[in-house]
Amino acid sequence: MSKNHENDYEYGKIEGCAEIAIRILQGFEKKDKLTLDNVLELLGASEESRSTFAPNVIGEQAPGQDTKIGIGSQYIDIKDCFNLAVNVAREAGAFFLNSWQDNKEVNEIRAHDIKLRLDVQTQELIVSRLGQQYPMIPVFGEEGINDGAKTSEFRWVVDPIDGTVNFAFDIPHACVSIALQKRIENAYGTIMGVVYDPFFDEIWTAAVGFPTQLNGKKIHVSQRAALSETVVSIGFAKLAENLKISMEAMTQLMDKVRKVRILGSAALDLVYVASGRLDAYVEAGVRLWDIAAGGFILEQAGGKFQRSLLPGQEPETYKLLASNGCLDSELRPLLGSRFDD
Ligand code: IPD
């Protein structure tokens, strides 16, 4: 190596690497978490070249991109899981859409809820398809939880028909929701989400290292920061105590936002916020399968997904405040401590 390092190829490489490391570390401070896309952005890659490097899951894998992840003894290929979940969500959506015109057989009916036989049949289809390829990954689903889904290293979180009441009443707003979660110490974190609306043939996808896409095109949350210009969705769950919390939120919000909406599918509410169609979504009483995929898809699209467990209710029941990330200072004081983390 020459003394002043001029024209020194090896030194130039080291200097280049150091510069890249500094840019990544500086960027890390500004970002909540680093994804492959963030790192490429920090390195100055154009949006076009980034999307080539981190392509749509349905497309080709970038050369050299390692998509295997794991802890302990289990390794899975995130890209394989992603493609599988996309195919299974499409098949399940087509399956329940096929029964749209039929008489819908009701399995159970309660004050504010309906469970259809089709919910169970759709979950059976999903469990069987996922299990054919990944028999070691259990399913944590609305219509049944496999043994091991509370302790396994990975698990699928599935809502076969999110928006069942809509479907039962012939309102075409329902979807399939599939998330993949990885165990991290005593909790689970979502690493992949797929939400499919068969009525509009719209599929939202995101995974660690892959940006949120709607039908293969990268999407982002809205930039609306003034509450008065926003459209906010409010969910009304099943228990009286949760309905009361949502009602209070609606009373606070309805004259301060452009419009309040009640759409009836938590997963679609979340991906609509991810797509900028809605600016925020609030509900008390959602279950994990309603929100695991949509919440992750929203975060990967730049949004904020804040949830906390509701004590004294069924396991994995949450209150949540999801938004484009620009509205906290106005939204939080209005909703009060009920929606704090
Ligand atoms: C319901 C829907 C609804 C929400 C309820 C959920 P399901 O899920 O997501 O929008 O308000 O809290 O339980 O029962 O249709 O799968």
Side-chain angles (χ1 to χ4, degrees):
M1 212 181 262
S2 60
K3 254 191 185 163
N4 62 7
H5 308 303
E6 260 172 8
N7 304 322
D8 189 310
Y9 177 65
E10 286 303 315
Y11 185 82
K13 276 204 300 193
I14 293 166
E15 199 178 41
C17 290
E19 199 184 307
I20 287 170
I22 290 166
R23 284 166 79 175
I24 291 175
L25 289 171
Q26 284 169 341
F28 190 54
E29 304 239 308
K30 292 182 204 134
K31 310 253 175 201
D32 283 350
K33 62 179 176 223
L34 275 185
T35 61
L36 177 64
D37 194 54
N38 293 154
V39 174
L40 291 170
E41 187 187 355
L42 292 165
L43 294 177
S46 68
E47 193 165 332
E48 197 185 350
S49 65
R50 292 196 327 258
S51 62
T52 317
F53 190 82
N56 173 14
V57 277
I58 306 154
E60 286 301 303
Q61 185 179 353
Q65 188 182 340
D66 188 4
T67 54
K68 288 196 176 53
I69 50 165
I71 317 175
S73 53
Q74 276 189 21
Y75 271 83
I76 57 157
D77 189 317
I78 188 83
K79 187 167 184 288
D80 279 354
C81 288
F82 211 165
N83 285 333
L84 174 66
V86 165
N87 291 336
V88 172
R90 283 190 179 283
E91 188 182 349
F95 174 74
F96 75 66
L97 190 60
N98 207 27
S99 299
W100 179 241
Q101 307 294 339
D102 301 349
N103 267 340
K104 285 140 189 150
E105 200 178 313
V106 174
N107 270 1
E108 196 185 329
I109 194 150
R110 294 190 200 159
H112 307 295
D113 196 23
I114 292 176
K115 284 192 178 294
L116 298 176
R117 181 156 170 258
L118 201 56
D119 279 301
V120 177
Q121 291 170 323
T122 308
Q123 179 157 324
E124 281 168 1
L125 173 78
I126 294 171
V127 169
S128 132
R129 295 288 187 269
L130 296 175
Q132 277 161 13
Q133 200 156 323
Y134 284 102
M136 72 292 203
I137 304 182
V139 171
F140 189 100
E142 177 163 25
E143 306 307 325
I145 299 171
N146 289 153
D147 288 346
K150 291 176 186 161
T151 51
S152 55
E153 290 187 30
F154 296 95
R155 69 182 184 186
W156 298 105
V157 180
V158 168
D159 192 343
I161 308 178
D162 184 61
T164 304
V165 175
N166 282 347
F167 191 84
F169 277 71
D170 293 345
I171 299 169
H173 189 76
C175 65
V176 183
S177 172
I178 301 177
L180 181 65
Q181 293 195 320
K182 185 170 87 163
R183 192 173 178 82
I184 303 156
E185 293 172 1
N186 292 325
Y188 282 92
T190 303
I191 55 174
M192 191 208 83
V194 174
V195 170
Y196 178 55
D197 173 354
F199 295 100
F200 284 90
D201 193 23
E202 290 192 315
I203 192 156
W204 287 263
T205 54
V208 169
F210 295 95
T212 292
Q213 296 190 329
L214 164 55
N215 286 355
K217 289 211 174 82
K218 200 169 162 185
I219 54 162
H220 206 271
V221 289
S222 72
Q223 301 300 308
R224 277 179 287 275
L227 197 58
S228 57
E229 292 170 7
T230 60
V231 176
V232 177
S233 177
I234 303 189
F236 282 83
K238 297 164 187 181
L239 296 181
E241 63 216 83
N242 297 330
L243 296 177
K244 190 166 170 269
I245 300 176
S246 290
M247 193 62 206
E248 284 165 6
M250 186 153 97
T251 311
Q252 287 301 322
L253 290 172
M254 63 196 303
D255 63 342
K256 311 216 174 42
V257 299
R258 178 91 65 212
K259 279 288 177 199
V260 159
R261 290 284 177 259
I262 304 171
L263 300 175
S265 162
L268 286 177
D269 279 332
L270 287 164
V271 296
Y272 275 30
V273 180
S275 317
R277 295 176 184 176
L278 295 170
D279 303 296
Y281 158 53
V282 179
E283 179 161 358
V286 278
R287 307 298 301 278
L288 180 65
W289 41 74
D290 300 317
I291 58 169
F296 180 75
I297 287 169
L298 170 62
E299 284 183 318
Q300 295 287 102
K304 209 162 174 183
F305 175 59
Q306 299 165 86
R307 71 190 189 290
S308 51
L309 279 168
L310 278 169
Q313 300 202 12
E314 294 280 313
E316 305 276 9
T317 303
Y318 296 89
K319 58 185 175 177
L320 73 84
L321 169 54
S323 76
N324 63 9
C326 314
L327 297 167
D328 259 19
S329 60
E330 281 196 87
L331 261 182
R332 280 205 164 273
L334 278 178
L335 296 174
S337 57
R338 285 184 185 288
F339 283 90
D340 285 350
D341 293 338

